[in-house]
Amino acid sequence: MRILAFGEILFDIIEGEPFLGGAPLNFAGHLARLGAESYIYSAVGNDPLGAQALAEIRQLGVDTRLVQVQEQYPTGTVPVRFTNGQPAYTILRDVAYDYIDYSAAEPLLQGLQPDLLYFGTLAQRNSHSRSSLRQLLSGQQAPRVFYDINLRQDAYSPEIIRESLQLCSILKLNDEEARLLSELFFQKELALEAFARQLAQAYGLELIIITAGARGCYLLEGPDYYYVSGYPTKVVDTVGAGDAFSAAFVYQYLRHGDALVAADIANRLGAYVASCRGPLPEYSADIRELVKG
């Protein structure tokens, strides 16, 4: 199984300490851990954080040949500050992943032929990276394209979302994002099933996944709408839990083609990651057996 993830590599800066992340990277890291041949297509700066990112990504088992080193722009960072225990994020602009280049990557992309191509929204906020993604999608005939919407503050527009929906076959979003898009596209808050059906019809989507935290998730696959219950857990850190869900779902769905089984296992891994510190914790023996079985 070969998976290609496009998008941001960044560091959350918490009390001066950098923590590697970015939804596409977390997704790629979990897939590598599951046993997939995993690639990240992104950019870092020619700086100490860029070198640290490349070293840590290689340790995860993710192929870094498509990670470009930018001379003019720094590695992406997100300073995090806390007010009464609640985090507030500042997603800095004009960083390396805003300038992912297609022409430099094209020779490496030839013949890659991924089984699935993943992208999100944040890395599309700049027209340069957005254009590279469009060229990637037109040049790679991946059987499935997975859009994990991951809306972030001031980093999206209705136009970007609409264009992205036209480019994907599988959409994943959470229930809060579903409500936002329902108001944005249909001028009212539809029930989740009605929202999913209208969106699938408008954009010809193969599959829509709506996550709902500890409650589980909802699936629309063709005419069929399902609810898959979640797994209660003692939450330590929800960072990366959604990315773990996406990775487990993709891994199982591509292997077995059963969306309900894939969603159940994805709920389990998402809950496990939420019970641990950080977006890419080591798997317990039980989790490893479940998600790789």
Side-chain angles (χ1 to χ4, degrees):
M1 183 187 305
R2 182 176 294 165
I3 307 295
L4 173 59
F6 175 98
E8 64 273 11
I9 292 172
L10 53 79
F11 283 90
D12 291 318
I13 309 298
I14 302 173
E15 297 179 346
E17 187 175 354
F19 294 87
L20 183 64
L25 177 58
N26 295 337
F27 172 81
H30 279 289
L31 274 159
R33 186 166 289 168
L34 291 167
E37 188 180 336
S38 184
Y39 295 77
I40 179 77
Y41 178 13
S42 186
V44 297
N46 186 13
D47 51 31
L49 283 180
Q52 180 180 336
L54 287 169
E56 290 188 26
I57 295 166
R58 291 181 184 122
Q59 287 180 349
L60 292 171
V62 177
D63 194 299
T64 60
R65 282 175 289 178
L66 288 165
V67 179
Q68 299 164 355
V69 178
Q70 295 279 2
E71 297 291 339
Q72 292 181 284
Y73 302 98
T75 300
T77 53
V78 179
V80 183
R81 56 185 173 81
F82 292 87
T83 304
N84 298 324
Q86 294 301 310
Y89 304 90
T90 304
I91 305 175
L92 299 183
R93 291 182 174 270
D94 281 329
V95 295
Y97 68 76
D98 287 318
Y99 296 92
I100 302 168
D101 187 65
Y102 182 75
S103 59
E106 189 173 13
L108 293 171
L109 289 165
Q110 289 180 358
L112 188 62
Q113 296 181 325
D115 297 297
L116 179 140
L117 199 154
Y118 167 106
F119 71 96
T121 306
L122 177 57
Q124 296 188 68
R125 64 182 179 175
N126 181 285
S127 60
H128 193 109
S129 289
R130 190 160 67 249
S131 173
S132 293
L133 174 61
R134 301 296 182 272
Q135 292 177 81
L136 170 66
L137 289 166
S138 66
Q140 288 286 330
Q141 300 304 314
R144 291 186 172 91
V145 178
F146 189 102
Y147 177 33
D148 193 347
I149 195 165
N150 268 327
L151 298 181
R152 297 291 182 261
Q153 58 192 33
D154 304 322
Y156 65 90
S157 69
E159 291 74 25
I160 287 174
I161 297 171
R162 286 191 180 94
E163 287 180 15
S164 298
L165 290 170
Q166 291 169 350
L167 295 168
C168 72
S169 56
I170 301 174
L171 170 68
K172 181 234 169 189
L173 69 170
N174 63 38
D175 50 354
E176 291 183 10
E177 291 165 337
R179 284 189 283 272
L180 189 155
L181 262 63
S182 183
E183 293 279 2
L184 192 65
F185 290 168
F186 306 119
Q187 290 73 56
K188 58 183 176 180
E189 186 178 321
L190 297 170
L192 290 180
E193 181 176 354
F195 163 78
R197 290 191 183 282
Q198 289 207 34
L199 206 65
Q201 183 176 12
Y203 293 96
L205 300 174
E206 168 190 335
L207 179 63
I208 296 178
I209 308 159
I210 303 175
T211 59
R215 298 197 310 278
C217 66
Y218 303 86
L219 303 177
L220 180 68
E221 185 178 28
D224 300 318
Y225 184 75
Y226 306 101
Y227 166 67
V228 183
S229 60
Y231 291 86
T233 190
K234 183 178 179 181
V235 174
V236 172
D237 178 353
T238 61
V239 175
D243 306 322
F245 174 99
S246 296
F249 183 91
V250 163
Y251 185 74
Q252 294 295 331
Y253 188 60
L254 292 187
R255 289 179 73 202
H256 304 300
D258 189 323
L260 288 173
V261 171
D264 180 64
I265 293 173
N267 282 340
R268 286 283 300 273
L269 184 59
Y272 174 78
V273 171
S275 74
C276 302
R277 180 68 64 194
L280 283 155
E282 290 296 325
Y283 294 170
S284 67
D286 289 347
I287 286 293
R288 189 178 302 110
E289 182 177 354
L290 171 77
V291 297
K292 295 183 75 170

